[in-house]
Amino acid sequence: MTAMEIDTEKNIQRKHSTYQSLDKTFDIQNEIYRGQQYSQIYFARLHTMRTLLYSLVTHWKPSCPCLLMTFISVILEVSGNLEVMVVFRVLDFNGIGCEVYVVDRGHLYMVLVNFISGAFFKFFFSPICNGLGFCTVLGLEEGKECIIVGTLFKHMQLKPCVLDEYSKERSAVPLVKPHNFMHPDDHLVLEDESGRVKLGGTVLSPSTYVTGGVVALHGKETTAGDFLVLDVFEAGLAPQIEPQLKSREDKYVVFISGVSVGSSTSNPLQFQLLVDHITGHLGDEQEQGIAAEIVHVVFAGNSVEIPLGLLNGQNLASKDQSRVSEAVQVLDILLSQIAAGVSVDIMPGSNDPANFALPQQPLNRCLFPGSRTFNTFNSCTNPHCFELDGVRFLGTSGQNIDDLKKYSEARDELEFMERTLKWRHLAPTAPNTLGCYPFTDRDPFLIESCPHVYFVGNQDKYGTRILEGSEGQMVRLISIPKFCNTGLAVVLNLRNLECHTLSFGAQPSTLKTFNDA
């Protein structure tokens, strides 16, 4: 981006940074819906996470001896004369090299996955780990300790069901919509391709986990047919690239979410004060000097709010059409003021005019005729991943955390964020209770590289802390509050990843800064 001059006597120059978008994973480009089932994304998730958990098992159980093997060649015949050669090279228990030669890929993917993750590991790895072998659900033996890997499913008594709306007894039992659907009688089930088994014991708490998470469990089958969990293993934080934080100057990134232009709670003056502060048109020379150090702005969802009463499926009158587009027009005017000097990302949210299912695709640039003329304006996906001067950011507009709040419990939003990073999955409840696109051969929400900054928008309050991993990873967690309710924006320093907030009010002298504790 080019440097921007801010109108002062000393002609302050705006700082700039190197920006790279990493949203390709969340783009739905050549994906075509052909009647595929949502279970296919669970299969892709289980395969990827199971292979990962197998490779990390020695860190979980250090007493397990390493395994040294030579080359193994396997020939499979699949429906006809088609042959597939799979060559495995296992150096130790932490890594598997695989070369696959196929004539026609077709449905061979399913066959190879079943073979690699099922028969291969069961046959070669079951004798090791001091008697602790990998096992499928159907392969469990009563009283014999083993390790199973599968997808969690939570049975919840209060979980809403669409069939309840058509119940004959609905007049006697009112439909309650609590903010959390937890119940003391909830229990967990683990399932893989072979079957499912109810989990018992006190190690695995139903209040912590949700449907969709993939874990490795150490335990044994009881006489009642349940699996008594003795230990739990999660994937933990993903590998992290080294951030380039040395010999830096102060550069700031501003996060805003829940502006909700057009809603009854939105304050136009608050938003204009925020825009004026970012663009350097607010405050004295010192304030303008600080504004010149802002190099990037992120709008994390719910930037506009269209009156729901107008969206009833009927043709809109001309005056109603103008009411629908008015909020977007106001947002475009304010965004164009920011984009004139600072790079800005706008992410879709649950209330924005975008697709409902995750990953939400970028808001159509036609909605922003003024802002789109600047090359600093970026309409992005939700989730959104990008890099600024070597610092990797990953964030959502809040739907994933809001859904976790309904089906599990935690101290605060930051603890929910920690869990998604340790599970290496942004949206574990998708597609069970959180809408997502029915991907067939991949799960775009898997976290392959640990970010340096993980942010979530549209939360009730501001919060931040540093999360440290077992291999030296450090992640700045940021819970971004709704701007329309709090008037708060979050500011991050790229030099040291420290955070503070800016508070904007409608009364004079209400611009305040709160440092991170």
Side-chain angles (χ1 to χ4, degrees):
M1 69 189 73
T2 58
M4 172 190 173
E5 295 184 359
I6 297 182
D7 296 331
T8 64
E9 296 179 357
K10 294 184 178 181
N11 194 22
I12 301 175
Q13 297 288 325
R14 182 176 293 279
K15 295 180 180 179
H16 63 277
S17 62
T18 303
Y19 173 84
Q20 180 183 6
S21 175
L22 302 175
D23 283 344
K24 187 176 181 180
T25 303
F26 307 114
D27 288 339
I28 302 176
Q29 297 178 346
N30 298 323
E31 304 279 352
I32 301 177
Y33 178 72
R34 294 189 175 93
Q36 57 262 37
Q37 301 296 316
Y38 278 110
S39 58
Q40 293 183 254
I41 192 174
Y42 281 126
F43 182 87
R45 182 185 308 176
L46 176 58
H47 162 62
T48 304
M49 291 301 300
R50 179 167 46 196
T51 305
L52 173 65
L53 291 170
Y54 278 148
S55 68
L56 297 174
V57 71
T58 52
H59 299 284
W60 180 34
K61 300 291 182 181
S63 59
C64 295
C66 292
L67 182 67
L68 185 62
M69 300 180 64
T70 57
F71 291 95
I72 304 168
S73 298
V74 182
I75 304 295
L76 296 179
E77 289 191 4
V78 184
S79 61
N81 297 323
L82 181 60
E83 293 184 343
V84 183
M85 175 175 289
V86 186
V87 180
F88 295 97
R89 184 185 182 186
V90 184
L91 298 180
D92 57 23
F93 205 88
N94 294 322
I96 300 176
C98 178
E99 300 177 7
V100 182
Y101 305 94
V102 299
V103 179
D104 181 16
R105 297 190 178 183
H107 295 284
L108 293 178
Y109 173 80
M110 303 288 286
V111 177
L112 292 177
V113 168
N114 281 324
F115 178 78
I116 295 172
S117 60
F120 178 78
F121 284 104
K122 181 179 179 181
F123 181 78
F124 289 107
F125 291 166
S126 57
I128 68 171
C129 291
N130 294 334
L132 290 182
F134 289 101
C135 188
T136 62
V137 171
L138 285 183
L140 293 175
E141 299 180 15
E142 182 180 338
K144 183 178 180 180
E145 293 188 20
C146 64
I147 299 174
I148 58 175
V149 178
T151 305
L152 292 174
F153 177 82
K154 182 190 287 190
H155 279 282
M156 305 186 69
Q157 291 192 5
L158 300 181
K159 179 182 175 181
C161 178
V162 67
L163 297 179
D164 293 340
E165 299 180 8
Y166 302 94
S167 173
K168 295 180 180 180
E169 301 178 357
R170 66 180 183 275
S171 58
V173 182
L175 296 178
V176 183
K177 295 183 178 179
H179 69 283
N180 185 280
F181 300 104
M182 293 294 298
H183 190 275
D185 295 334
D186 294 342
H187 64 271
L188 294 170
V189 170
L190 189 80
E191 60 180 20
D192 58 15
E193 299 93 331
S194 65
R196 55 168 50 187
V197 61
K198 183 179 178 180
L199 303 178
T202 59
V203 176
L204 203 65
S205 173
S207 63
T208 301
Y209 293 89
V210 294
T211 297
V214 179
V215 294
L217 303 178
H218 167 213
K220 58 184 177 181
E221 186 181 19
T222 64
T223 55
D226 299 341
F227 187 79
L228 178 62
V229 180
L230 303 176
D231 200 0
V232 184
F233 178 58
E234 300 169 352
L237 300 186
Q240 185 182 61
I241 60 174
E242 185 71 23
Q244 304 171 6
L245 299 178
K246 298 179 180 179
S247 302
R248 280 179 174 265
E249 55 184 349
D250 289 330
K251 294 181 181 180
Y252 296 99
V253 181
V254 178
F255 297 93
I256 313 105
S257 71
V259 178
S260 299
V261 175
S263 69
S264 58
T265 58
S266 177
N267 189 330
L269 179 57
Q270 273 186 327
F271 195 10
Q272 187 62 59
L273 286 173
L274 170 65
V275 173
D276 290 343
H277 175 71
I278 294 174
T279 55
H281 295 95
L282 188 67
D284 55 15
E285 184 175 323
Q286 181 180 0
E287 290 288 344
Q288 293 175 350
I290 296 175
E293 296 176 338
I294 298 175
V295 296
H296 196 71
V297 180
V298 178
F299 284 83
N302 289 357
S303 300
V304 298
E305 184 171 316
I306 299 174
L308 296 178
L310 300 178
L311 305 177
N312 54 12
Q314 304 295 326
N315 293 330
L316 297 178
S318 57
K319 62 176 182 179
D320 292 334
Q321 291 179 2
S322 61
R323 288 181 59 191
V324 170
S325 60
E326 182 179 357
V328 180
Q329 292 174 356
V330 172
L331 178 64
D332 180 41
I333 293 174
L334 296 172
L335 287 178
S336 62
Q337 297 178 31
I338 300 176
V342 190
S343 66
V344 55
D345 292 350
I346 182 167
M347 301 164 53
S350 58
N351 296 334
D352 291 320
N355 60 302
F356 171 78
L358 295 180
Q360 288 183 291
Q361 298 305 285
L363 295 169
N364 198 309
R365 295 177 65 88
C366 295
L367 297 172
F368 310 100
S371 304
R372 69 183 183 187
T373 58
F374 298 96
N375 60 5
T376 52
F377 175 77
N378 306 298
S379 185
C380 307
T381 61
N382 172 36
H384 179 35
C385 185
F386 64 96
E387 285 188 4
L388 276 178
D389 289 352
V391 177
R392 177 162 296 186
F393 293 76
L394 177 65
T396 71
S397 296
Q399 294 99 317
N400 59 333
I401 302 302
D402 292 340
D403 205 57
L404 287 176
K405 293 178 186 177
K406 298 178 183 179
Y407 301 100
S408 60
E409 296 176 342
R411 297 188 305 271
D412 52 24
E413 289 85 354
L414 297 178
E415 185 173 354
F416 286 116
M417 296 172 65
E418 286 184 15
R419 291 176 186 173
T420 58
L421 289 178
K422 292 178 179 178
W423 296 339
R424 297 200 191 184
H425 201 280
L426 275 175
T429 56
N432 182 47
T433 55
L434 182 63
C436 78
Y437 186 85
F439 293 93
T440 57
D441 58 351
R442 66 185 181 99
D443 186 348
F445 307 110
L446 292 173
I447 302 175
E448 299 180 357
S449 178
C450 186
H452 304 113
V453 180
Y454 179 32
F455 63 92
V456 173
N458 297 290
Q459 300 305 299
D460 295 329
K461 60 182 180 180
Y462 164 72
T464 183
R465 64 169 168 258
I466 292 290
L467 173 64
E468 297 184 7
S470 59
E471 298 179 356
Q473 305 99 319
M474 295 188 64
V475 187
R476 166 65 68 177
L477 306 177
I478 305 176
S479 171
I480 310 171
K482 298 177 183 177
F483 186 82
C484 63
N485 295 338
T486 63
L488 293 178
V490 181
V491 182
L492 174 81
N493 192 337
L494 282 177
R495 180 175 60 84
N496 50 21
L497 300 186
E498 291 184 354
C499 256
H500 65 270
T501 60
L502 292 176
S503 177
F504 297 88
Q507 300 298 325
S509 303
T510 55
L511 175 61
K512 300 178 181 179
T513 300
F514 301 95
N515 291 325
D516 177 28

